Amino acid sequence: MPSDDEAAAETTVAEQARQGAILDHGLDRQSRTSEDDAELMVFVDRAQRYSGADIAIVFVLDGPYEVVVATSLPLPVRIVAREQGLVEWVLRQGNGDRVFATADAAAHPALQLSSLVNGTSGKVRFFAAAPLIDRDGIGLGALCLLSPRQRDDFEEGTSRLSEVRDDIMATLEARRAVPSRPQLDPSSPRHPTADGTERNRDSPIDLIIDQRAVHTLFQPIVHLQTGAVVGFEAFARGPAGTPLESPLALISAAHDVGRLGELDWVCRVNAMEAATASGLHPSISWFINVEPAGLELDCPEDLRPAYEYARRDLRIVLEVIDRVGNSYLPSLLRASDRARRDAWGVAVNLNADGSSVGLLPFLQPDALKLAIPMLRQVRLLKVAEATAAVRAYAERRGAVIIGEGIETEEEQRLAQFYGATYGQGYRFGKPEPLPESTPAPRDPIPLVQRPMPLVGDTPFEVLAQSCTVTISPKHLLVGLAAHLESHSVEHNEACALLTCFQRAEFFGARSLTRYRQLATRNAYTLVLAEGLEAQTWPGLQIAPLKRSSRMCQEWVTIVVGPHYAAALVAQDIGDRGADADRRYKFIYTHDRSKVINAARSYLGHLTIPPSVFDAPPPVREPGRGRLRR
């Protein structure tokens, strides 16, 4: 038996190793730019959502403390002494990465003295922890679930908590130097990058992209009434058994080397090849996610044959994530336009709070995806407003609603209550290789939306084809424009406000202040004018027009919401003299279809600054929540 001195020395060495590992994984306080680790936030949100716990937290052992590095809810206390915490005891049990759970921590002899349990720092009753142990066997901390109430029904939830923990560890391991992989041969043929150059780098993500070393798993989508499989959603994975197998690690690594768009194409076409090879019935729908970075790139030449085959023979549905973030909407419009030319469909993932409902009139999707677990995290009235707008669109356009993340019979009933005809989630199947066969669906997902193609016309040119044109001085039109601006925020709808001020001189500091206020209550707000400096504020994007753009001759105010639409578009005649007396040809309409066509033409003139692709995207856990790939 080691002496006290030897035991103390061993403890010191172990703690030094732990601190080194904390640094290597970027978990120390100095490595974070904010209190919460941004990459880990998606995992704690996911763990809370799937478990139904009040809060999910990632604790790490940093020196003498247990420190919160990511939490699903704000906490008044983010650091406790290790002897007063909970994670230290869990790791000392020596049970590896096995999940620990107790219905009542206050009744547990080893946990009841913790300040998180006895009331000094909290009153935890239900407690579950999935240890975070790195590939060297060092315990970093734990992913924890906490509630102030006892809970006896968590037994089957341990496997789900383990899955989230495994994704966290894959993300953390990807932060360290990744060793070479035997299945990725640096000497094998390399594909040119998007700009036609050869890369000299031999990082694992470069090798994965160059050698197309991804694979695809598929989760079934079913008709909720019959349970019949009608389609599959594709989920990309990196090489099995490597830190880059995790979709988040894969995407983050591609972003870091500036190759996210190429990775997106590799993943998309890999899914198409697998779908083609399956030989499943042609009425099966294949949901494939798209990234903004990939939308701006042409298909790589070596992938084009498989892509062209899929264009002809597969029933593809491009699935758009719910980042309504203004800038990449034009790319989505162009991508959806191409999809419709190939008789493909478009699906949109929706935020539970309804903030992304504003996308629907412009993309005119065939399918609307609702994350059922997330609806429980939003106020009931807000959910009712959002789902009412979704139902209104679906009824008006003949689109369908798909409930995502369905794991229980109760969640299936909830999905149907909110209008879902189809469903997806672990209740119906987890992501896995495709089956050898599946019956032809009797109720295939309808792909019937055919919006007006984008042809480069301006809003005035679009409306002038079917509306009466009138002439008026500017001072009479100012009141109409102000009325529409105010209407965009007065009726509690998730509206889009699209405006063009011709030149920067007509959009000054007072206008900016007003529009920043409007943007706080709109789904999104866009301002265009020649000479404007590109700016982005919460909910507001300001972008310049090229001097050669015909939009520079137009004054535009368009409002589109789930239940309201109006457009005032005016074309400058070219008068000289006092600004208020300058005359315009103008069109004022509330015809919804005409307004939407004008709005789509407006968005086609929005240019995209390169910075829109600077941030790596979120990642969606297959069929469970709001994370992607």
Side-chain angles (χ1 to χ4, degrees), residues 276-559:
T276 299
S278 73
L280 296 181
H281 196 274
S283 60
I284 290 288
S285 299
W286 302 94
F287 283 66
I288 298 179
N289 296 287
V290 292
E291 276 300 331
L295 295 176
E296 292 301 297
L297 295 179
D298 290 331
C299 179
E301 283 303 315
D302 66 296
L303 301 178
R304 188 167 293 280
Y307 176 68
E308 294 296 334
Y309 191 92
R311 288 180 61 189
R312 297 190 306 267
D313 293 348
L314 293 180
R315 205 166 187 265
I316 300 290
V317 180
L318 294 184
E319 185 164 334
V320 177
I321 56 178
D322 55 14
R323 279 179 290 152
V324 188
N326 310 319
S327 299
Y328 90 118
L329 186 51
S331 293
L332 291 180
L333 284 176
R334 289 190 286 271
S336 65
D337 211 41
R338 290 194 297 268
R340 268 56 186 264
R341 289 199 299 269
D342 294 328
W344 289 2
V346 173
V348 173
N349 277 307
L350 297 169
N351 290 324
D353 64 3
S355 60
S356 57
V357 171
L359 262 183
L360 303 184
F362 311 124
L363 291 180
Q364 297 182 17
D366 302 89
L368 314 171
K369 284 196 161 187
L370 283 177
I372 302 305
M374 286 188 68
L375 296 180
R376 296 181 172 183
Q377 308 298 319
V378 181
R379 289 187 300 110
L380 191 59
L381 179 59
K382 196 71 174 176
V383 171
E385 292 171 357
T387 54
V390 170
R391 280 180 179 269
Y393 172 84
E395 291 175 1
R396 186 185 297 119
R397 301 289 309 181
V400 298
I401 299 172
I402 301 175
E404 276 195 317
I406 299 173
E407 298 192 9
T408 65
E409 183 179 355
E410 178 188 357
E411 289 177 337
Q412 180 175 339
R413 287 196 299 267
L414 187 62
Q416 291 173 300
F417 173 79
Y418 286 122
T421 309
Y422 302 91
Q424 176 182 354
Y426 275 40
R427 176 168 171 78
F428 313 112
K430 64 181 181 179
E432 56 190 358
L434 286 168
E436 292 185 2
S437 64
T438 190
R442 294 177 55 186
D443 301 284
I445 295 171
L447 306 180
V448 297
Q449 307 303 315
R450 292 293 178 265
M452 180 193 77
L454 299 172
V455 293
D457 289 343
T458 68
F460 185 88
E461 291 165 352
V462 168
L463 292 182
Q465 298 173 26
S466 58
C467 296
T468 301
V469 177
T470 308
I471 296 178
S472 171
K474 181 176 181 178
H475 69 267
L476 294 180
L477 299 177
V478 168
L480 289 179
H483 164 70
L484 292 185
E485 291 171 353
S486 298
H487 196 100
S488 71
V489 298
E490 287 177 352
H491 292 273
N492 204 30
E493 290 191 48
C495 286
L497 174 59
L498 315 178
T499 61
C500 177
F501 283 79
Q502 294 186 260
R503 298 188 298 276
E505 64 190 86
F506 300 131
F507 188 78
R510 291 178 60 185
S511 296
L512 174 60
T513 299
R514 184 172 80 257
Y515 267 71
R516 288 185 63 186
Q517 293 171 344
L518 291 170
T520 63
R521 297 179 60 189
N522 281 327
Y524 52 94
T525 303
L526 305 180
V527 176
L528 301 181
E530 178 194 348
L532 281 177
E533 180 183 351
Q535 300 180 59
T536 300
W537 302 85
L540 169 65
Q541 183 184 353
I542 299 171
L545 286 171
K546 294 180 180 179
R547 181 171 296 182
S548 59
S549 172
R550 300 191 307 282
M551 285 276 288
C552 294
Q553 301 304 313
E554 297 188 11
W555 176 17
V556 177
T557 307
I558 299 174
V559 177

Side-chain angles (χ1 to χ4, degrees), residues 74-124:
L75 292 174
V77 177
R78 298 181 61 96
I79 184 169
V80 296
R82 278 166 63 163
E83 64 270 15
Q84 289 293 314
L86 297 169
V87 174
E88 166 95 350
W89 179 85
V90 172
L91 292 178
R92 276 197 281 108
Q93 301 316 296
N95 293 325
D97 61 2
R98 186 180 306 168
V99 172
F100 168 83
T102 179
D104 185 3
H108 192 284
L111 302 179
Q112 58 185 280
L113 298 179
S114 166
S115 62
L116 295 174
V117 176
N118 63 28
T120 305
S121 301
K123 294 184 178 180
V124 173

Side-chain angles (χ1 to χ4, degrees), residues 189-198 206-214 259 261-270 272-273 297-310:
R190 308 294 291 274
H191 293 283
T193 59
D195 59 8
T197 63
E198 291 286 344
D206 280 309
L207 295 176
I208 288 171
I209 295 172
D210 290 344
Q211 298 175 26
R212 312 316 195 205
V214 301
R259 302 186 68 182
E262 296 171 79
L263 175 68
D264 187 66
W265 270 111
V266 172
C267 294
R268 270 193 272 167
V269 175
N270 183 272
M272 293 174 184
E273 289 179 311
L297 295 179
D298 290 331
C299 179
E301 283 303 315
D302 66 296
L303 301 178
R304 188 167 293 280
Y307 176 68
E308 294 296 334
Y309 191 92

